């Protein structure tokens, strides 16, 4: 492909070097020597137009490919940055959850250590003391 393009470039350069006459054209009006209106070009002008077209098309293709490659690389770079950021945030979130789980376990163990062991005895004792206090208050107020 590169050699083909190089040969086209050499052809264009050789055509401009061999063209001693300037390119010529003429404008035809309707029903002049031809049955249509248009523009006629000589061989040199036609060769120059075809060569210029090939060169400009090749140049445009190269620029387009280059810009597409740049955009592709930028997209892949941004995508990789987002993947890295996502992994970092996921790892940070996992560490935060592990820390909170440890904190919950420590607080649960501390609560178990400070809570009374015989809860049912405290409950029953509270009921007995409350009942006795209520009965004592009732007797004291009705005794008069």
């Amino acid at each position: 492909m590169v050699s083909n393009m190089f040969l086209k470039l050499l052809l264009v350069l050789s055509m401009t070097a061999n063209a001693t006459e300037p390119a010529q054209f003429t404008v035809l009006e309707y029903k002049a020597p031809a049955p249509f209106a248009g523009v006629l070009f000589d061989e040199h002008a036609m060769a120059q137009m075809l060569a210029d077209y090939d060169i400009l098309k090749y140049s445009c293709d190269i620029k387009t490919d280059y810009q597409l490659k740049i955009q592709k690389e930028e997209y892949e770079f941004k995508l990789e940055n987002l993947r890295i950021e996502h992994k970092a945030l996921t790892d940070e979130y996992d560490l935060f959850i592990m820390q909170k789980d440890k904190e919950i376990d420590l607080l649960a163990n501390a609560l178990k250590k400070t809570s009374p062991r015989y809860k049912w005895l405290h409950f029953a004792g509270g009921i007995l003391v409350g009942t006795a206090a209520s009965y004592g208050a009732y007797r004291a107020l009705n005794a008069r």
Side-chain angles (χ1 to χ4, degrees):
M1 179 168 177
V2 174
S3 62
N4 187 17
M5 288 182 257
F6 181 70
L7 289 175
K8 285 182 181 180
L9 181 64
L10 286 178
L11 179 65
V12 168
L13 293 176
S14 67
M15 287 169 44
T16 57
N18 290 335
T20 55
E21 302 174 10
Q24 296 180 1
F25 69 94
T26 183
V27 178
L28 293 178
E29 295 179 5
Y30 184 69
K31 296 252 180 177
F36 54 87
V39 179
L40 293 177
F41 296 97
D42 68 348
E43 291 115 15
H44 299 293
M46 199 65 197
Q48 184 67 37
M49 283 192 310
L50 291 174
D52 287 346
Y53 172 78
D54 287 341
I55 290 172
L56 292 174
K57 182 180 180 299
Y58 175 69
S59 174
C60 183
D61 289 343
I62 289 175
K63 288 177 185 176
T64 304
D65 289 343
Y66 178 71
Q67 291 299 324
L68 286 174
K69 286 178 184 177
I70 288 175
Q71 286 182 353
K72 179 183 175 191
E73 290 298 322
E74 287 175 352
Y75 169 76
E76 289 175 357
F77 177 73
K78 288 177 183 177
L79 185 62
E80 187 62 26
N81 277 346
L82 288 174
R83 284 184 184 144
I84 291 170
E85 183 179 354
H86 177 263
K87 184 174 178 354
L89 289 174
T90 303
D91 291 345
E92 181 183 356
Y93 174 76
D94 291 342
L95 285 173
F96 181 74
I97 294 297
M98 287 175 24
Q99 179 187 5
K100 290 300 175 184
D101 287 343
K102 286 180 183 179
E103 187 177 336
I104 289 170
D105 290 340
L106 287 173
L107 289 173
N109 289 337
L111 184 62
K112 285 180 185 176
K113 289 179 183 177
T114 59
S115 64
R117 295 177 188 226
Y118 303 105
K119 293 179 186 177
W120 63 274
L121 285 176
H122 291 273
F123 179 72
I127 290 178
L128 287 175
V129 169
T131 304
S134 296
Y135 183 71
Y138 172 75
R139 283 297 210 180
L141 293 175
N142 282 341
R144 301 192 203 167

Coordinates of all heavy atoms in Angstrom, one line a residue, residues 8-79:
K8 N 2.3 6.7 -6.9 CA 1.4 7.7 -7.3 C 2.0 9.1 -7.1 O 1.9 10.0 -7.9 CB 0.1 7.6 -6.5 CG -0.8 6.5 -6.9 CD -2.1 6.6 -6.2 CE -3.0 5.4 -6.6 NZ -4.3 5.5 -5.8
L9 N 2.7 9.3 -6.0 CA 3.4 10.5 -5.8 C 4.5 10.8 -6.8 O 4.6 11.9 -7.3 CB 4.0 10.5 -4.4 CG 4.7 11.8 -4.0 CD1 3.7 13.0 -3.9 CD2 5.4 11.6 -2.6
L10 N 5.2 9.8 -7.2 CA 6.3 9.9 -8.2 C 5.6 10.3 -9.5 O 6.1 11.1 -10.3 CB 7.1 8.7 -8.3 CG 8.1 8.4 -7.2 CD1 8.8 7.1 -7.4 CD2 9.1 9.6 -7.2
L11 N 4.5 9.6 -9.8 CA 3.7 9.9 -11.1 C 3.3 11.3 -11.1 O 3.5 12.0 -12.1 CB 2.5 8.9 -11.2 CG 1.7 9.1 -12.4 CD1 2.5 8.8 -13.7 CD2 0.4 8.3 -12.3
V12 N 2.8 11.8 -10.0 CA 2.3 13.2 -10.0 C 3.5 14.2 -10.1 O 3.4 15.1 -10.9 CB 1.5 13.5 -8.6 CG1 1.3 15.0 -8.5 CG2 0.2 12.8 -8.6
L13 N 4.6 13.9 -9.5 CA 5.7 14.8 -9.6 C 6.3 14.7 -11.0 O 6.7 15.8 -11.5 CB 6.8 14.4 -8.6 CG 6.4 14.6 -7.1 CD1 7.5 14.1 -6.2 CD2 6.2 16.1 -6.9
S14 N 6.3 13.5 -11.6 CA 6.8 13.5 -13.0 C 5.9 14.1 -14.0 O 6.4 14.7 -15.0 CB 7.1 12.0 -13.4 OG 5.8 11.3 -13.5
M15 N 4.6 14.1 -13.7 CA 3.7 14.7 -14.6 C 3.8 16.3 -14.6 O 3.7 16.9 -15.6 CB 2.2 14.3 -14.3 CG 1.9 12.9 -14.7 SD 0.4 12.2 -14.1 CE -0.8 13.5 -14.4
T16 N 4.0 16.8 -13.4 CA 4.2 18.2 -13.3 C 5.6 18.7 -13.9 O 5.7 19.8 -14.4 CB 4.1 18.7 -11.8 OG1 5.0 18.0 -11.0 CG2 2.7 18.5 -11.3
A17 N 6.6 17.8 -13.8 CA 7.9 18.1 -14.3 C 7.9 18.1 -15.8 O 8.5 18.9 -16.5 CB 8.9 17.2 -13.8
N18 N 7.1 17.1 -16.4 CA 7.1 17.0 -17.9 C 6.1 18.0 -18.5 O 6.2 18.2 -19.7 CB 6.7 15.6 -18.3 CG 7.9 14.6 -17.9 OD1 9.0 15.0 -17.9 ND2 7.5 13.3 -17.7
A19 N 5.2 18.5 -17.8 CA 4.2 19.4 -18.4 C 4.8 20.7 -18.7 O 5.0 21.5 -17.8 CB 3.0 19.5 -17.5
T20 N 5.2 21.0 -19.9 CA 5.8 22.2 -20.2 C 4.8 23.3 -20.6 O 5.0 24.5 -20.5 CB 6.8 22.1 -21.4 OG1 6.1 21.5 -22.5 CG2 7.9 21.2 -21.0
E21 N 3.6 22.8 -21.1 CA 2.5 23.7 -21.4 C 1.6 23.9 -20.2 O 1.4 23.0 -19.4 CB 1.7 23.1 -22.5 CG 2.4 22.8 -23.8 CD 1.5 22.1 -24.8 OE1 0.3 22.1 -24.6 OE2 2.0 21.6 -25.8
P22 N 1.1 25.1 -20.0 CA 0.2 25.3 -18.9 C -1.2 24.5 -19.3 O -1.5 24.3 -20.4 CB -0.1 26.8 -18.8 CG 0.3 27.3 -20.2 CD 1.4 26.3 -20.7
A23 N -1.9 24.1 -18.2 CA -3.1 23.5 -18.4 C -4.1 24.4 -19.1 O -4.2 25.6 -18.7 CB -3.7 23.0 -17.1
Q24 N -4.9 23.9 -20.0 CA -5.9 24.8 -20.7 C -7.3 24.2 -20.6 O -7.4 23.0 -20.5 CB -5.5 24.9 -22.2 CG -4.2 25.6 -22.4 CD -3.8 25.7 -23.9 OE1 -4.6 25.3 -24.7 NE2 -2.7 26.2 -24.2
F25 N -8.2 25.1 -20.6 CA -9.6 24.7 -20.6 C -10.4 25.7 -21.4 O -10.0 26.8 -21.6 CB -10.2 24.5 -19.2 CG -10.4 25.8 -18.5 CD1 -11.6 26.5 -18.5 CD2 -9.3 26.4 -17.8 CE1 -11.7 27.7 -17.8 CE2 -9.4 27.6 -17.1 CZ -10.7 28.2 -17.1
T26 N -11.6 25.3 -21.8 CA -12.5 26.2 -22.5 C -13.9 26.0 -22.1 O -14.3 24.9 -21.7 CB -12.4 26.1 -24.0 OG1 -13.2 27.1 -24.6 CG2 -12.8 24.7 -24.5
V27 N -14.8 27.0 -22.1 CA -16.1 26.9 -21.7 C -17.0 26.8 -22.9 O -16.9 27.7 -23.8 CB -16.6 28.1 -20.8 CG1 -18.0 28.0 -20.4 CG2 -15.7 28.2 -19.6
L28 N -17.8 25.8 -23.0 CA -18.8 25.7 -24.1 C -20.1 26.2 -23.7 O -20.6 26.0 -22.6 CB -18.9 24.2 -24.5 CG -17.7 23.6 -25.1 CD1 -18.0 22.1 -25.4 CD2 -17.3 24.3 -26.4
E29 N -20.7 26.9 -24.6 CA -22.1 27.4 -24.4 C -23.0 26.3 -25.1 O -22.6 25.6 -25.9 CB -22.3 28.8 -24.9 CG -21.5 29.8 -24.2 CD -21.7 31.2 -24.8 OE1 -22.6 31.3 -25.7 OE2 -21.0 32.1 -24.3
Y30 N -24.3 26.4 -24.7 CA -25.2 25.5 -25.2 C -25.3 25.6 -26.8 O -25.4 26.7 -27.3 CB -26.6 25.7 -24.6 CG -27.7 24.7 -25.0 CD1 -27.6 23.4 -24.7 CD2 -28.7 25.1 -25.8 CE1 -28.5 22.5 -25.1 CE2 -29.7 24.2 -26.3 CZ -29.6 22.9 -25.9 OH -30.5 22.0 -26.3
K31 N -25.3 24.5 -27.4 CA -25.4 24.4 -28.9 C -24.2 25.1 -29.6 O -24.3 25.5 -30.7 CB -26.7 25.0 -29.4 CG -27.9 24.3 -28.9 CD -28.5 23.5 -30.1 CE -29.7 22.8 -29.5 NZ -30.5 22.0 -30.4
A32 N -23.1 25.1 -28.9 CA -21.9 25.6 -29.6 C -21.3 24.4 -30.4 O -22.2 23.7 -31.0 CB -20.9 26.1 -28.5
P33 N -20.1 24.1 -30.4 CA -19.6 22.9 -31.1 C -20.1 21.6 -30.5 O -20.1 20.6 -31.1 CB -18.1 23.0 -31.0 CG -17.8 24.3 -30.6 CD -18.9 24.9 -29.9
A34 N -20.7 21.6 -29.3 CA -21.2 20.4 -28.7 C -22.7 20.6 -28.3 O -23.1 21.8 -28.2 CB -20.5 20.1 -27.4
P35 N -23.5 19.6 -28.2 CA -24.9 19.7 -28.0 C -25.2 20.0 -26.5 O -26.3 19.8 -26.0 CB -25.5 18.4 -28.4 CG -24.4 17.4 -28.3 CD -23.1 18.2 -28.5
F36 N -24.3 20.4 -25.7 CA -24.5 20.6 -24.3 C -23.6 21.7 -23.8 O -22.5 22.0 -24.5 CB -24.2 19.4 -23.4 CG -22.9 18.7 -23.6 CD1 -21.8 19.2 -22.9 CD2 -22.7 17.7 -24.6 CE1 -20.6 18.6 -23.1 CE2 -21.5 17.2 -24.8 CZ -20.4 17.6 -24.1
A37 N -23.9 22.4 -22.7 CA -23.0 23.4 -22.1 C -22.0 22.7 -21.2 O -22.4 21.7 -20.5 CB -23.8 24.4 -21.4
G38 N -20.8 23.1 -21.1 CA -19.9 22.5 -20.2 C -18.5 23.1 -20.3 O -18.3 24.2 -20.9
V39 N -17.5 22.4 -19.7 CA -16.1 22.9 -19.7 C -15.3 21.8 -20.3 O -15.4 20.6 -19.9 CB -15.7 23.2 -18.3 CG1 -14.2 23.7 -18.3 CG2 -16.6 24.3 -17.7
L40 N -14.4 22.1 -21.2 CA -13.5 21.1 -21.8 C -12.1 21.4 -21.3 O -11.6 22.5 -21.2 CB -13.5 21.2 -23.3 CG -14.8 20.8 -24.1 CD1 -14.6 21.1 -25.6 CD2 -15.1 19.4 -23.8
F41 N -11.4 20.3 -20.9 CA -10.0 20.4 -20.4 C -9.1 19.7 -21.4 O -9.5 18.6 -22.0 CB -9.9 19.7 -19.0 CG -10.7 20.4 -18.0 CD1 -12.0 19.9 -17.6 CD2 -10.3 21.5 -17.3 CE1 -12.8 20.5 -16.7 CE2 -11.0 22.1 -16.3 CZ -12.3 21.6 -16.0
D42 N -7.9 20.1 -21.5 CA -6.9 19.4 -22.3 C -6.3 18.3 -21.4 O -6.6 18.1 -20.2 CB -5.8 20.4 -22.8 CG -4.9 20.9 -21.7 OD1 -5.3 20.8 -20.5 OD2 -3.9 21.6 -22.1
E43 N -5.4 17.5 -22.0 CA -4.8 16.3 -21.3 C -4.0 16.8 -20.0 O -4.1 16.1 -19.0 CB -3.9 15.6 -22.2 CG -4.5 14.8 -23.3 CD -4.1 15.4 -24.6 OE1 -3.1 16.1 -24.7 OE2 -4.8 15.1 -25.6
H44 N -3.3 17.9 -20.1 CA -2.5 18.3 -19.0 C -3.4 18.7 -17.8 O -3.2 18.4 -16.6 CB -1.6 19.5 -19.4 CG -0.6 19.1 -20.4 ND1 0.4 18.2 -20.2 CD2 -0.5 19.5 -21.7 CE1 1.1 18.0 -21.3 NE2 0.6 18.8 -22.3
A45 N -4.5 19.4 -18.1 CA -5.4 19.9 -17.1 C -6.1 18.7 -16.4 O -6.3 18.6 -15.2 CB -6.4 20.9 -17.6
M46 N -6.5 17.7 -17.3 CA -7.2 16.5 -16.8 C -6.3 15.7 -15.9 O -6.6 15.2 -14.8 CB -7.7 15.7 -17.9 CG -8.8 14.8 -17.6 SD -10.2 15.7 -17.1 CE -11.1 14.5 -16.2
A47 N -5.0 15.5 -16.3 CA -4.0 14.8 -15.6 C -3.8 15.5 -14.2 O -3.7 14.8 -13.2 CB -2.7 14.6 -16.3
Q48 N -3.7 16.8 -14.3 CA -3.4 17.6 -13.0 C -4.6 17.4 -12.1 O -4.4 17.2 -10.9 CB -3.2 19.0 -13.3 CG -2.8 19.9 -12.1 CD -1.5 19.5 -11.6 OE1 -0.5 19.2 -12.3 NE2 -1.4 19.5 -10.3
M49 N -5.8 17.4 -12.6 CA -7.0 17.3 -11.7 C -7.0 15.9 -11.1 O -7.3 15.7 -9.9 CB -8.3 17.6 -12.5 CG -8.5 19.0 -12.7 SD -10.2 19.4 -13.3 CE -10.4 18.3 -14.6
L50 N -6.8 14.9 -11.9 CA -6.8 13.5 -11.4 C -5.7 13.3 -10.3 O -5.9 12.7 -9.3 CB -6.7 12.5 -12.5 CG -7.9 12.4 -13.4 CD1 -7.6 11.5 -14.6 CD2 -9.1 12.0 -12.7
A51 N -4.5 13.8 -10.6 CA -3.4 13.7 -9.7 C -3.7 14.4 -8.4 O -3.4 13.9 -7.3 CB -2.1 14.1 -10.3
D52 N -4.2 15.6 -8.5 CA -4.5 16.4 -7.3 C -5.6 15.7 -6.5 O -5.5 15.7 -5.2 CB -5.0 17.8 -7.7 CG -3.9 18.7 -8.2 OD1 -2.7 18.3 -8.0 OD2 -4.2 19.8 -8.8
Y53 N -6.6 15.1 -7.2 CA -7.6 14.4 -6.4 C -7.0 13.2 -5.6 O -7.3 13.0 -4.5 CB -8.7 13.9 -7.4 CG -9.7 12.9 -6.7 CD1 -10.7 13.5 -6.0 CD2 -9.6 11.6 -6.9 CE1 -11.6 12.6 -5.3 CE2 -10.4 10.7 -6.2 CZ -11.5 11.2 -5.5 OH -12.3 10.4 -4.8
D54 N -6.1 12.4 -6.3 CA -5.5 11.3 -5.6 C -4.7 11.8 -4.4 O -4.7 11.2 -3.3 CB -4.7 10.5 -6.6 CG -5.5 9.7 -7.5 OD1 -6.7 9.5 -7.3 OD2 -4.9 9.3 -8.6
I55 N -3.9 12.8 -4.6 CA -3.1 13.3 -3.5 C -3.9 13.8 -2.4 O -3.7 13.5 -1.2 CB -2.1 14.4 -4.0 CG1 -1.1 13.8 -5.0 CG2 -1.4 15.1 -2.9 CD1 -0.2 14.8 -5.7
L56 N -4.9 14.6 -2.7 CA -5.8 15.1 -1.6 C -6.6 14.1 -0.9 O -6.8 14.1 0.3 CB -6.7 16.2 -2.2 CG -6.0 17.5 -2.7 CD1 -7.0 18.4 -3.4 CD2 -5.4 18.2 -1.5
K57 N -7.0 13.1 -1.7 CA -7.8 11.9 -1.0 C -6.8 11.2 -0.1 O -7.2 10.8 1.0 CB -8.3 11.0 -2.1 CG -9.1 9.8 -1.5 CD -9.6 8.9 -2.6 CE -10.4 7.8 -2.1 NZ -9.7 6.9 -1.2
Y58 N -5.6 10.9 -0.6 CA -4.6 10.2 0.3 C -4.3 11.0 1.5 O -4.3 10.5 2.6 CB -3.4 10.0 -0.6 CG -2.2 9.4 0.2 CD1 -2.3 8.1 0.7 CD2 -1.1 10.1 0.5 CE1 -1.3 7.5 1.4 CE2 0.0 9.6 1.2 CZ -0.1 8.3 1.7 OH 0.9 7.8 2.4
S59 N -4.1 12.3 1.3 CA -3.8 13.2 2.5 C -5.0 13.2 3.5 O -4.8 13.1 4.7 CB -3.6 14.6 2.0 OG -3.4 15.5 3.1
C60 N -6.2 13.3 2.9 CA -7.4 13.2 3.8 C -7.5 11.9 4.6 O -7.9 11.9 5.7 CB -8.7 13.5 3.0 SG -10.2 13.6 3.9
D61 N -7.2 10.8 3.9 CA -7.3 9.5 4.5 C -6.3 9.4 5.6 O -6.6 8.9 6.7 CB -7.0 8.4 3.5 CG -8.2 8.2 2.5 OD1 -9.3 8.7 2.8 OD2 -8.0 7.6 1.5
I62 N -5.1 9.9 5.4 CA -4.0 9.9 6.4 C -4.5 10.7 7.6 O -4.4 10.3 8.8 CB -2.7 10.4 5.9 CG1 -2.1 9.3 4.9 CG2 -1.7 10.6 7.0 CD1 -0.9 9.8 4.2
K63 N -5.0 11.9 7.4 CA -5.4 12.8 8.5 C -6.5 12.1 9.3 O -6.6 12.2 10.5 CB -5.8 14.1 8.0 CG -4.6 15.0 7.5 CD -5.1 16.3 7.0 CE -3.9 17.1 6.4 NZ -4.3 18.3 5.7
T64 N -7.5 11.6 8.5 CA -8.7 10.9 9.2 C -8.2 9.7 10.0 O -8.7 9.6 11.2 CB -9.7 10.5 8.1 OG1 -10.1 11.6 7.3 CG2 -10.9 9.9 8.8
D65 N -7.4 8.9 9.5 CA -6.9 7.7 10.3 C -6.1 8.2 11.5 O -6.3 7.6 12.6 CB -5.9 6.9 9.4 CG -6.7 6.1 8.3 OD1 -7.9 6.0 8.5 OD2 -6.0 5.6 7.4
Y66 N -5.3 9.2 11.4 CA -4.6 9.8 12.5 C -5.5 10.3 13.6 O -5.3 10.0 14.8 CB -3.6 10.9 12.0 CG -2.8 11.5 13.1 CD1 -1.8 10.8 13.7 CD2 -3.1 12.8 13.5 CE1 -1.1 11.4 14.8 CE2 -2.4 13.4 14.5 CZ -1.4 12.7 15.2 OH -0.6 13.3 16.2
Q67 N -6.5 11.1 13.2 CA -7.5 11.6 14.2 C -8.3 10.5 14.8 O -8.5 10.5 16.0 CB -8.4 12.6 13.5 CG -7.7 13.9 13.1 CD -7.1 14.6 14.2 OE1 -7.6 14.7 15.3 NE2 -6.0 15.3 14.0
L68 N -8.6 9.5 14.1 CA -9.4 8.3 14.6 C -8.5 7.6 15.6 O -9.0 7.1 16.7 CB -9.9 7.4 13.5 CG -11.0 7.9 12.7 CD1 -11.3 6.9 11.6 CD2 -12.3 8.0 13.6
K69 N -7.2 7.4 15.3 CA -6.3 6.7 16.3 C -6.2 7.5 17.5 O -6.1 7.0 18.6 CB -5.0 6.5 15.6 CG -5.0 5.3 14.6 CD -3.7 5.1 13.9 CE -3.8 4.1 12.8 NZ -2.6 3.9 12.1
I70 N -6.1 8.8 17.4 CA -6.0 9.7 18.6 C -7.2 9.6 19.4 O -7.1 9.4 20.7 CB -5.8 11.2 18.2 CG1 -4.3 11.4 17.6 CG2 -6.0 12.1 19.4 CD1 -4.1 12.8 17.1
Q71 N -8.4 9.6 18.8 CA -9.6 9.5 19.6 C -9.7 8.1 20.2 O -10.2 8.0 21.4 CB -10.9 9.7 18.7 CG -11.1 11.2 18.3 CD -12.3 11.3 17.4 OE1 -12.9 10.4 17.0 NE2 -12.7 12.6 17.2
K72 N -9.3 7.1 19.5 CA -9.3 5.7 20.1 C -8.4 5.7 21.3 O -8.8 5.1 22.4 CB -8.9 4.7 19.1 CG -8.9 3.3 19.6 CD -8.4 2.3 18.5 CE -8.3 1.0 19.1 NZ -7.5 0.0 18.2
E73 N -7.2 6.2 21.2 CA -6.3 6.2 22.4 C -6.9 7.0 23.6 O -6.7 6.5 24.7 CB -4.9 6.7 22.0 CG -4.2 5.8 21.0 CD -3.9 4.4 21.6 OE1 -3.6 4.4 22.8 OE2 -4.0 3.4 20.9
E74 N -7.5 8.1 23.3 CA -8.0 8.9 24.4 C -9.2 8.2 25.0 O -9.3 8.2 26.3 CB -8.5 10.3 23.8 CG -7.4 11.2 23.5 CD -7.9 12.5 22.8 OE1 -9.1 12.6 22.5 OE2 -7.1 13.4 22.7
Y75 N -10.0 7.5 24.2 CA -11.1 6.8 24.8 C -10.6 5.6 25.7 O -11.1 5.4 26.8 CB -12.0 6.3 23.6 CG -13.0 5.3 24.1 CD1 -14.2 5.7 24.8 CD2 -12.8 3.9 23.9 CE1 -15.1 4.8 25.2 CE2 -13.8 3.0 24.3 CZ -14.9 3.4 25.0 OH -15.8 2.5 25.4
E76 N -9.6 4.9 25.2 CA -9.1 3.8 25.9 C -8.4 4.3 27.2 O -8.5 3.6 28.3 CB -8.1 3.0 25.1 CG -8.8 2.2 24.0 CD -7.8 1.5 23.1 OE1 -6.6 1.6 23.2 OE2 -8.3 0.7 22.2
F77 N -7.8 5.4 27.1 CA -7.1 6.0 28.3 C -8.2 6.4 29.4 O -8.1 6.0 30.6 CB -6.3 7.2 27.9 CG -5.7 8.0 29.1 CD1 -4.6 7.4 29.7 CD2 -6.2 9.2 29.5 CE1 -4.0 8.1 30.8 CE2 -5.6 9.9 30.5 CZ -4.5 9.3 31.2
K78 N -9.3 7.1 28.9 CA -10.3 7.4 29.9 C -11.0 6.2 30.4 O -11.3 6.2 31.6 CB -11.4 8.3 29.2 CG -10.9 9.7 28.9 CD -11.9 10.5 28.1 CE -11.3 11.9 27.7 NZ -12.3 12.7 27.0
L79 N -11.2 5.2 29.6 CA -11.9 4.0 30.1 C -11.0 3.3 31.1 O -11.5 2.8 32.1 CB -12.2 3.1 28.9 CG -12.9 1.8 29.2 CD1 -14.3 2.1 29.7 CD2 -13.0 0.9 27.9

